[in-house]
């Protein structure tokens, strides 16, 4: 088995565990649910960083997303900039400078699939707008996730806002400044990732499919969970619209590529392939 195929097997295995943990999430409550939240973030972090090890840019990802994520959260807790004034509860484990240690891991978990999804979608573009377009898509792909994340975590009491006005319609308890802060940090993160990581993050290949699956699973499962299991219909709508900017074109692109491959190779698809 090659190192690349071994890395793909590792990624698919961790993705399966993450999916299982998230399926169990709405079936639990209290301390068990909080611990499952922590476990899910750790699994997502190991999945993304483990996959990124196939790229020389893995160190840059950890530096920018994990290190930068901690720095921006510590700044936010201490000063209220750029997200607004908020405090973390003690439900998410040990804290440093008021920030639970798993929070920077969450930034990293979703930053990598968002970057790869944007890279796949802009892979055929040329000219001076390719990199700005890629950075913009990756920024939206990451920041829109918070339209699911913050309402869910606030509902669970993992953090609380001191002043939650003005808020998006249907999403009380979370100021609009929070989402603007996510956009600001996401664009800084994605802008820094390319020069720090080098040219290897400028392309994608078949080995990146676990990350596409992670992004699409996060989108679809979040819509379903918020709409049906968590009694958060407004965030289901906001998140569905926000993440669709990247998730829907990504799904269409992958489906078209699959159909083109099947047509060119003349390979009939099994019922399992059709269902997938």
């Amino acid at each position: 088995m090659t190192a690349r195929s071994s890395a793909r097997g590792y990624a698919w295995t961790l993705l399966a565990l993450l999916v299982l943990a998230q399926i169990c999430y709405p079936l639990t409550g209290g301390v068990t649910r909080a611990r499952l939240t922590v476990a899910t973030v750790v699994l997502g972090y190991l999945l993304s960083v483990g996959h990124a090890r196939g790229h020389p840019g893995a160190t840059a990802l950890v530096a920018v997303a994990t290190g930068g994520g901690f720095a921006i959260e510590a700044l936010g807790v201490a000063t209220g900039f750029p997200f607004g004034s908020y405090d973390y509860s003690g439900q998410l484990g040990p804290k440093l400078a008021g920030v639970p240690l798993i929070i920077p891991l969450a930034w990293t978990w979703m930053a990598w699939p968002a970057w790869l999804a944007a890279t796949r979608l802009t892979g055929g573009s040329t000219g001076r707008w390719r990199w700005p377009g890629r950075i913009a898509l990756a920024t939206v792909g990451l920041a829109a996730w918070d339209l699911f994340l913050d309402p869910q975590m606030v509902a669970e009491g993992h953090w609380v806002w001191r002043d939650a006005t003005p808020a998006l319609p249907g999403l009380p308890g979370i100021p609009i400044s929070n989402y603007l802060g996510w956009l600001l940090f996401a664009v800084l993160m994605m802008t820094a990732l390319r020069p720090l990581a080098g040219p290897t993050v400028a392309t994608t290949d078949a080995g990146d499919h676990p990350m596409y699956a992670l992004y699409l699973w996060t989108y679809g499962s979040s819509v379903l969970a918020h709409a049906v299991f968590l009694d958060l219909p407004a965030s289901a709508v906001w998140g569905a619209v926000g993440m669709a900017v990247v998730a829907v074109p990504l799904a269409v692109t992958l489906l078209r590529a699959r159909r083109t491959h099947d047509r060119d190779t003349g390979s009939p698809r099994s019922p399992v392939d059709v269902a997938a």
Side-chain angles (χ1 to χ4, degrees):
M1 181 180 292
T2 66
R4 186 64 169 161
S5 61
S6 177
R8 289 182 66 183
Y10 166 88
W12 285 118
T13 299
L14 278 185
L15 178 58
L17 292 174
L18 185 146
V19 168
L20 179 61
Q22 291 185 320
I23 289 174
C24 292
Y25 180 89
L27 305 178
T28 63
V31 175
T32 300
R33 180 176 283 190
R35 290 175 178 173
L36 193 58
T37 300
V38 173
T40 301
V41 173
V42 172
L43 282 170
Y45 182 81
L46 293 175
L47 171 57
S48 289
V49 173
H51 178 270
R53 287 184 61 192
H55 300 258
T59 301
L61 174 68
V62 172
V64 171
T66 310
F70 174 77
I72 198 72
E73 290 284 350
L75 177 66
V77 169
T79 69
F81 177 84
F83 307 105
S85 297
Y86 62 104
D87 295 294
Y88 285 104
S89 70
Q91 299 175 7
L92 295 178
K95 294 190 283 188
L96 178 63
V99 180
L101 296 179
I102 69 158
I103 296 299
L105 307 190
W107 282 102
T108 313
W109 164 23
M110 284 304 296
W112 186 237
W115 174 265
L116 291 176
T119 301
R120 175 62 185 256
L121 291 174
T122 58
S125 60
T126 59
R128 62 179 180 175
W129 296 111
R130 183 177 74 166
W131 282 109
R134 184 169 298 177
I135 290 168
L137 269 180
T139 295
V140 172
L142 174 59
W145 178 50
D146 192 52
L147 292 167
F148 290 120
L149 181 65
D150 240 275
Q152 182 177 336
M153 296 297 102
V154 168
E156 293 295 329
H158 295 321
W159 55 82
V160 62
W161 296 90
R162 299 171 192 166
D163 182 3
T165 56
L168 292 175
L171 299 181
I174 305 161
I176 291 176
S177 60
N178 169 65
Y179 305 109
L180 297 178
W182 268 72
L183 281 171
L184 173 63
F185 181 59
V187 73
L188 292 175
M189 184 192 311
M190 298 306 180
T191 301
L193 185 60
R194 167 63 177 89
L196 291 176
T200 56
V201 296
T203 59
T204 60
D205 58 31
D208 297 321
H209 279 83
M211 293 297 100
Y212 306 146
L214 170 60
Y215 195 84
L216 294 176
W217 161 259
T218 299
Y219 176 64
S221 65
S222 295
V223 173
L224 177 64
H226 283 235
V228 177
F229 298 105
L230 301 179
D231 195 25
L232 296 169
S235 57
V237 174
W238 280 103
V241 173
M243 283 190 76
V245 173
V246 173
V248 171
L250 177 63
V252 171
T253 297
L254 294 174
L255 181 59
R256 286 176 176 171
R258 178 61 178 272
R259 287 176 174 171
T260 300
H261 176 269
D262 289 344
R263 184 184 65 244
D264 292 345
T265 60
S267 302
R269 291 192 295 169
S270 69
V272 175
D273 292 331
V274 174

